Amino acid sequence: MHTDLAAALDIGGTKIAGALVDGQGTVLVRAQRPTPAEQDGETVMRAVEGVLGELAGSPLWGRARGLGIGSAGPVDASAGTVSPVNVPGWRDFPLVERVRAVTGGLPVELIGDGVAVTAAEHWQGAARGHDDALCMVVSTGVGGGLVLGGRVHPGPTGNAGHIGHISVDLDGDPCPCGSRGCVERLASGPNIARRALENGWRPGPDGDTTAAAVAAAARAGDPVAVASFERAAQALAAGIAATATLVEIDVAVIGGGVAKAGDVLFTPLRRALADYATLSFVRRLTVVPARTGTDAGLVGAAASILTGRPGAAPAGV
Amino acid sequence: MHTDLAAALDIGGTKIAGALVDGQGTVLVRAQRPTPAEQDGETVMRAVEGVLGELAGSPLWGRARGLGIGSAGPVDASAGTVSPVNVPGWRDFPLVERVRAVTGGLPVELIGDGVAVTAAEHWQGAARGHDDALCMVVSTGVGGGLVLGGRVHPGPTGNAGHIGHISVDLDGDPCPCGSRGCVERLASGPNIARRALENGWRPGPDGDTTAAAVAAAARAGDPVAVASFERAAQALAAGIAATATLVEIDVAVIGGGVAKAGDVLFTPLRRALADYATLSFVRRLTVVPARTGTDAGLVGAAASILTGRPGAAPAGV
């Protein structure tokens, strides 16, 4: 029997998703449980074991050559532990060891969720064919990952690409991470909505105060809504330009719920990027929407197994 | 005869230095000319040819296995061209082709000067033994380079690590590069001195208004001088923390004239770093002074030849 598939886990604060993925990045089998995020660590682990048990029940399980795990961060790939901010029961939780105990001798690779999404975009999405790229998820938070020299760059602990928590405003508002003026503090969906509300934007009759509602208002021409997206775009541009200036990338790929705002975000973002990305070697940088969807975390985790190293395209694909 | 040496060029706005360097990083032969920076490109090239001619006159020249060039940036390693900001006569100047015409079949490697200093610090200095490091030069400008996964990361065009021109203050003062609130705009020597003068610091009887004079005043307790170094330290900390958060580094090495201020810079820098480097995977980051001196550019350029790839230690060393 060929060992041509990868098992994959995508662990977030809301759900724990699992899959068996083939060498073309297609999800063949999937399983999912809600994350019992407010409960103790063992209860969360039992949900992981439930997902793995379901996958192991598939006749395809025997063809898995390894298990890739993309987890909400911070992770510590070198120690095999995870401490997801939104799962308080897991602090330095030995996820790799615990998963190995369930899956027998299967090789296990752990990476952060931003790195996993980046691996998926590099393999299957908008970063495909780019040797140097930044991939971002702009949503409730702002995460990301890097492709450098043709390969995903997870960094020694699997956390590289955390663009949401670089400061672009060193005297700015405190961020829950402890720093100030982080990209996330200015550009995440909740912060786009908060800023619009603070500046006088009011929701429609449905009472929807999400960033999606602010985006709809901006499309309809509401100047406060437009300004809130412009400020987010400015922060994203400063962060993307900083990344390009530091490591040389030629494309920034942006996914996540806030990216669905489309031109309301991308038009001011491209304008602001010209203001901050000024050196000759970063001027060619383009910004494009992500192409992979909700399966990106699973597909990227699978890539870390199918390619031997996260993000490199599998041989022969 | 063994080909165990490298020829090296270090091209800056003030001088063009050349050397023959052995596998231990020792400079065996050196040559130097002032950079005719305000003259036409051919005149600058003749100074380079003069330095190379002097090196070629050495009986050791035949043992050089290649020529490494570290040049003031921006450079374009992929095109073999340089456009040093302070040498207006060179814009997209085909330096690699021109040097090859003089040196015959010798392999030539071009990297930016920040990358060259990083290669030297990784090979011989404070970044030695570190697989992931940022090396900076804080002086008239602020430059830098990265070591990632055990190797210097020049990036596709040889400019990676340009930390001086990442914005840490997106609404801040305009920078000559065209962006705003760049690390260099807040932390370079001339900007430390400018800020001190603007806030009321006055030089001593010698009239010295350099950052070194501000550092001396800060050591003597002048609060305006202290505050100017603290602001520079804050900007450097935000930039270093951003780098660590993006690519995972465990050490930041700081050289250049401003680093000679010692504790006046390093004490507030380490304090500010704790404010900005907050995520678990960047908290172990340390900041240390550079160890290589004025030969760093030459030694780093030589490393790019002696190691095959910039920054990796030569085999057997």
Side-chain angles (χ1 to χ4, degrees), chain A residues 7 18-20 29-31 48-64 102-103 106:
Chain A
L20 294 173
V29 177
R30 63 174 81 226
V48 172
E49 289 166 353
V51 168
L52 287 172
E54 223 175 295
L55 294 180
S58 159
L60 297 176
W61 175 259
R63 284 167 56 191
V102 182
T103 55
L106 217 53

Side-chain angles (χ1 to χ4, degrees), chain B:
Chain B
M1 189 169 275
H2 299 301
T3 55
D4 55 353
L5 305 181
L9 282 176
D10 177 17
I11 299 180
T14 308
K15 64 181 166 60
I16 295 164
L20 294 172
V21 180
D22 73 10
Q24 279 69 51
T26 307
V27 171
L28 303 180
V29 176
R30 63 176 79 226
Q32 188 170 311
R33 304 276 159 103
T35 306
E38 298 308 322
Q39 298 185 47
D40 64 291
E42 287 307 316
T43 305
V44 182
M45 188 62 210
R46 275 196 295 277
V48 171
E49 290 165 353
V51 168
L52 286 172
E54 221 174 296
L55 294 180
S58 159
L60 297 175
W61 174 259
R63 284 168 55 190
R65 74 164 79 148
L67 169 67
I69 307 174
S71 173
V75 304
D76 186 341
S78 59
T81 60
V82 300
S83 310
V85 174
N86 297 325
V87 186
W90 278 6
R91 287 295 171 267
D92 296 324
F93 185 82
L95 181 62
V96 169
E97 182 191 320
R98 293 295 300 272
V99 163
R100 276 211 185 100
V102 183
T103 55
L106 217 53
V108 177
E109 291 280 343
L110 170 66
I111 50 179
D113 53 1
V115 175
V117 167
T118 299
E121 280 292 322
H122 188 226
W123 186 22
Q124 302 281 329
R128 188 171 184 163
H130 289 271
D131 282 347
D132 298 277
L134 166 68
C135 299
M136 302 177 68
V137 177
V138 185
S139 173
T140 311
V142 175
L146 294 167
V147 176
L148 301 179
R151 292 187 174 278
V152 170
H153 179 78
T157 70
N159 290 293
H162 254 78
I163 189 170
H165 293 287
I166 70 170
S167 176
V168 290
D169 185 7
L170 81 177
D171 303 313
D173 290 334
C175 180
C177 77
S179 182
R180 288 184 172 274
C182 292
V183 170
E184 179 171 302
R185 183 68 180 77
L186 287 156
S188 73
N191 279 300
I192 290 170
R194 175 191 52 76
R195 187 169 44 233
L197 285 163
E198 283 174 7
N199 290 323
W201 172 75
R202 292 293 169 262
D206 61 358
D208 183 356
T209 57
T210 63
V214 180
R219 268 190 297 276
D222 182 300
V224 173
V226 167
S228 190
F229 267 92
E230 284 177 344
R231 184 65 170 167
Q234 188 189 14
L236 293 171
I240 293 167
T243 306
T245 303
L246 280 171
V247 297
E248 294 201 25
I249 54 168
D250 59 8
V251 67
V253 177
I254 307 189
V258 173
K260 294 201 174 75
D263 287 348
V264 165
L265 178 71
F266 282 90
T267 300
L269 174 49
R270 291 184 177 121
R271 202 165 48 221
L273 199 58
D275 294 337
Y276 292 100
T278 58
L279 300 186
S280 56
F281 64 96
V282 300
R283 278 197 218 120
R284 287 160 302 181
L285 176 61
T286 56
V287 177
V288 299
R291 284 205 207 122
T292 59
T294 48
D295 283 343
L298 286 169
V299 171
S304 74
I305 295 298
L306 293 168
T307 68
R309 290 176 60 171
V317 173

Side-chain angles (χ1 to χ4, degrees), chain A residues 113-114 118 134-139 141-145 161-164 184 253:
Chain A
D113 52 1
T118 299
L134 166 68
C135 299
M136 301 178 66
V137 178
V138 184
S139 172
V142 174
H162 254 79
I163 189 172
E184 179 170 301
V253 176

